[in-house]
Amino acid sequence: MAVTTHDVLVVGAGLAGMRAALAAQARGSDVAIVTKVYPVRSHSNAAQGGINAALNPEDSWESHAYDTVKGSDYLGDQDAIEVLAREAPAAIVELERMGVVFSRDEHGRLGSRNFGGASHARTYFVGDFTGQAILHVLYEQLVRSGIRTYNEFFCTQLLRDGGGTVSGVVALDIRTGEVHQFLARAVILCTGGIGRVFEPSTNALICTGDGDALAYRAGAPLMDMEMVQFHPTTLQSNGALISESARGEGGHLVNRLGERFMAKSAPNAMELASRDVVSRAAQIEINEGRGVDGCVLLDVRHLGAARILERLPQIRELALEFAGADMITDPVPVLPGMHYQMGGIRTDIRGATPVPGLFAAGECACVSVHGGNRLGANSLLETVVFGRRAGEAAAEFASGRPVPGFSESPREDEERRLRALVQRDGTGRTAALRLEMGRTMTSRVGVFRDGAGLAEAEAALRSLRERAGAVAIGDKGRLFNQALVAALELDYMLDLAQCVVAGAIARTESRGAHTRLDHPKRDDAHWLRHTLCYAAEGGPRVDTAPVAITRWEPKERRY
Ligand SMILES: Cc1cc2nc3c(=O)[nH]c(=O)nc-3n(C[C@H](O)[C@H](O)[C@H](O)COP(=O)(O)OP(=O)(O)OC[C@H]3O[C@@H](n4cnc5c(N)ncnc54)[C@H](O)[C@@H]3O)c2cc1C
């Protein structure tokens, strides 16, 4: 099976990938998915809190859209945000009809919970394992559809024809070590987030941003990469997420003195201000000595055992296991940790990137609905709304294009390159460099940033890049060579780390999740703009682009 041909090839089988594949098939395309892990192991599986939609009669899509615009600190593109909010109710109903057993209220209707930055309770959920519930239902649909999935294939290159249009991918079959070529009339990247560029992160170890790097290397711009979300409540021991649903259900954040410190920065919304605001407030408490062993405390005891066990069973277990705290009887120590990448591959509202034949959706894409700060529960929504749109657009593109011509050489070249990588006599270990990169990013490019720290990060990444070019691959074999996969992932992550830093250096203001201590104010006159990183000799070249504003003019953001 060294070469296969499909109309539409989707890379990634998380929520965005599966939704895109189903949509492309519904438009008549022959579709296949290439994925480096089994579909149900995708990070979407870890989503806890829920998915947003203005479904209640007293709510409106305009209110959802406005909250999202405000949450984005006015950096989100309002045309895309309107699509997200308008199409959300139908997307939830569709998931429910497919079989997602959303939690119900006392009247038997779909139950909603409060989430940060939202003016209505519009987050629909399945306990605190919403992502798993949706992912498994979409997987059932995928199996029913007969769409071919190439599991445990690691995509290493995008193919392009003579005119520069994307014509497929090259991928390593992890199980056998063979390299395959997949020809396609259109490719959709749905490869998820870049969480592991930072250490620690709430993201699974597989979230290494491969698709962002593949697109970047093929000439697509990465947009707003400096916009990295630090979630206010993660565990110190391993970075695991304690979902916002704990605060949505009524949990409090307190400092060492027992004060609900959010009263200082968000007197109205308190713990349910948007995440950038809460993370900054928590980090200030910790930095100024009002924390407890480098953390603040999340207290849900007043909710009572019954509600905690019904609504928050998974995070109770996480806190018990990894922090030794039982939420029913103890407050849980938490701190801000890397959680989500707002930026990514620039796309239009149908998922098309500026590179012909290449589409993107889900966390790897930047359409941009999250701008400077994502509201909790808008990301699962983005995967299904824009996954569907990208699938439809790719199917249309594919139907108007002949099957790309075939040549053996890309596959052979890649096989030679990977062989040489495995065989070389290197120095240093991938894991050590990955850890060094992640810790550098967290310490220099974290919740608070400044020019000097960013310059240090830039220099550290240059040195890491040099050393990464010479790491030894410990496993010289072909079957399941995870050492090879890890080295390729590190190579991708270094590109992305460089883009995050380049964007953060360029953006001399504070907006959303990007807080520059040396430029503490939002600067709409110069920076109501997206940053764009293009691959260039010696590192990213930064450009900017305007933000789409449809009806909400920027104003000061208060919670
Ligand atoms: C712990 C946690 C909790 C969260 N909770 C929520 C929540 O409650 N609500 C919410 O809205 N959002 C939440 N999020 C965010 C949300 O879950 C993600 O943004 C979303 O699920 C991403 O989906 P995706 O389809 O884009 O990518 P993923 O689900 O990450 O899937 C990526 C896919 O790409 C494939 N892939 C990657 N690289 C390659 C390669 N080189 N070759 C082949 N295949 C590749 C992988 O195999 C995988 O199938 C949470 C995130 C985390 C980490």
Side-chain angles (χ1 to χ4, degrees):
M1 195 205 74
V3 181
T4 24
T5 304
H6 298 279
D7 294 336
V8 174
L9 191 74
V10 181
V11 184
L15 288 179
M18 289 203 264
R19 190 65 195 83
L22 291 165
Q25 190 195 49
R27 288 278 164 114
S29 282
D30 161 45
V31 189
I33 301 184
V34 172
T35 171
K36 71 176 176 179
V37 298
Y38 273 91
V40 288
R41 290 192 58 225
S42 303
H43 186 66
S44 293
N45 196 47
Q48 299 171 348
I51 177 165
N52 286 337
L55 261 176
N56 291 328
E58 67 275 15
D59 199 359
S60 68
W61 76 261
E62 288 92 342
S63 165
H64 182 187
Y66 171 67
D67 290 345
T68 304
V69 169
K70 178 180 170 189
S72 82
D73 216 350
Y74 295 89
L75 191 65
D77 282 326
Q78 296 181 10
D79 53 347
I81 291 174
E82 288 193 19
V83 168
L84 180 83
R86 241 198 220 116
E87 297 185 1
I92 303 294
V93 171
E94 180 186 49
L95 290 173
E96 205 259 348
R97 304 236 158 111
M98 282 179 186
V100 178
V101 190
F102 284 108
S103 296
R104 301 271 162 175
D105 66 15
E106 57 278 14
H107 308 292
R109 290 183 299 241
L110 293 184
S112 56
R113 63 168 42 129
N114 290 306
F115 243 56
S119 48
H120 287 84
R122 65 168 76 95
T123 300
Y124 294 87
F125 60 99
V126 185
D128 60 358
F129 41 88
T130 313
Q132 184 182 14
I134 303 177
L135 192 71
H136 282 256
V137 164
L138 273 188
Y139 186 60
E140 288 166 10
Q141 299 294 316
L142 193 77
V143 171
R144 190 172 80 162
S145 73
I147 289 171
R148 177 83 196 259
T149 60
Y150 299 93
N151 297 321
E152 299 186 319
F153 277 75
F154 182 84
C155 179
T156 61
Q157 296 238 344
L158 291 175
L159 295 170
R160 301 176 75 180
D161 67 16
T165 303
V166 169
S167 54
V169 309
V170 174
L172 170 74
D173 180 348
I174 299 172
R175 283 174 291 191
T176 62
E178 280 168 29
V179 174
H180 291 265
Q181 199 175 159
F182 295 88
L183 295 178
R185 294 171 153 121
V187 171
I188 314 178
L189 294 172
C190 298
T191 44
I194 71 160
R196 286 291 157 175
V197 166
F198 287 74
E199 192 62 45
S201 162
T202 65
N203 287 199
L205 290 169
I206 51 174
C207 298
T208 50
D210 310 350
D212 290 45
L214 290 169
Y216 175 67
R217 291 173 185 191
L222 299 184
M223 189 155 97
D224 296 333
M225 291 297 281
E226 66 280 12
M227 294 303 181
V228 177
Q229 178 160 82
F230 286 78
H231 193 291
T233 61
T234 68
L235 296 181
Q236 196 170 33
S237 62
N238 62 356
L241 178 73
I242 298 296
S243 164
E244 192 163 299
S245 30
R247 283 170 288 134
E249 294 292 335
H252 296 162
L253 283 172
V254 296
N255 63 17
R256 182 167 58 78
L257 310 168
E259 295 162 344
R260 284 178 71 187
F261 55 84
M262 286 312 300
K264 289 181 265 188
S265 47
N268 298 316
M270 295 291 286
E271 284 85 356
L272 288 178
S274 66
R275 288 180 180 168
D276 56 335
V277 174
V278 183
S279 281
R280 271 190 294 274
Q283 195 64 52
I284 287 171
E285 294 302 305
I286 295 166
N287 292 352
E288 294 184 354
R290 292 184 295 280
V292 179
D293 298 331
C295 291
V296 293
L297 298 174
L298 172 68
D299 194 349
V300 298
R301 288 174 297 177
H302 53 283
L303 302 180
R307 194 167 176 91
I308 293 171
L309 291 173
E310 184 209 329
R311 294 288 178 90
L312 309 169
Q314 184 184 184
I315 57 176
R316 172 175 174 256
E317 245 173 63
L318 282 171
L320 206 52
E321 192 155 336
F322 297 110
D326 185 344
M327 292 182 135
I328 296 174
T329 50
D330 311 305
V332 182
V334 289
L335 79 171
M338 192 292 178
H339 180 54
Y340 184 83
Q341 167 61 277
M342 271 76 74
I345 308 159
R346 182 181 203 187
T347 71
D348 66 16
I349 56 173
R350 302 200 66 211
T353 76
V355 175
L358 185 65
F359 297 77
E363 190 166 339
C364 71
C366 184
V367 48
S368 111
V369 288
H370 311 302
N373 171 70
R374 169 175 75 92
L375 293 189
N378 263 354
S379 172
L380 291 183
L381 177 61
E382 178 190 13
T383 64
V384 287
V385 167
F386 289 97
R388 177 179 54 71
R389 289 180 146 251
E392 289 170 358
E396 272 169 35
F397 183 91
S399 69
R401 188 183 173 205
V403 178
F406 167 67
S407 134
E408 225 350 280
S409 55
R411 195 188 69 75
E412 289 172 351
D413 291 350
E414 189 63 350
E415 192 141 285
R416 262 195 299 278
R417 180 179 82 96
L418 298 184
R419 279 289 79 211
L421 247 175
V422 169
Q423 295 307 333
R424 79 176 169 209
D425 290 323
T427 51
R429 291 182 51 233
T430 306
L433 297 187
R434 180 162 159 160
L435 193 61
E436 187 180 330
M437 169 190 66
R439 288 186 174 157
T440 302
M441 293 300 284
T442 300
S443 65
R444 302 284 183 274
V445 202
V447 175
F448 293 109
R449 304 162 174 186
D450 61 29
L454 292 171
E456 282 170 27
E458 197 181 31
L461 290 174
R462 257 199 305 275
S463 145
L464 277 161
R465 166 67 78 199
E466 258 171 47
R467 286 179 282 150
V471 284
I473 312 265
D475 182 350
K476 304 290 178 205
R478 283 173 79 88
L479 311 188
F480 277 108
N481 192 337
Q482 294 293 354
L484 171 61
V485 170
L488 296 169
E489 288 174 340
L490 176 66
D491 186 42
Y492 292 149
M493 286 194 283
L494 284 167
D495 272 3
L496 308 175
Q498 286 186 310
C499 290
V500 172
V501 171
I505 289 175
R507 189 178 287 282
T508 47
E509 65 157 356
S510 291
R511 180 188 300 272
H514 172 69
T515 308
R516 288 275 304 249
L517 293 170
D518 47 353
H519 296 278
K521 292 247 175 314
R522 193 175 88 191
D523 177 2
D524 286 341
H526 298 98
W527 281 110
L528 188 59
R529 295 187 75 74
H530 298 294
T531 60
L532 299 176
C533 282
Y534 290 91
E537 196 68 32
R541 173 176 68 77
V542 182
D543 200 350
T544 68
V547 175
I549 294 188
T550 55
R551 57 170 102 182
W552 297 283
E553 286 300 324
K555 52 185 185 194
E556 199 193 334
R557 202 162 151 246
R558 288 215 182 98
Y559 284 100

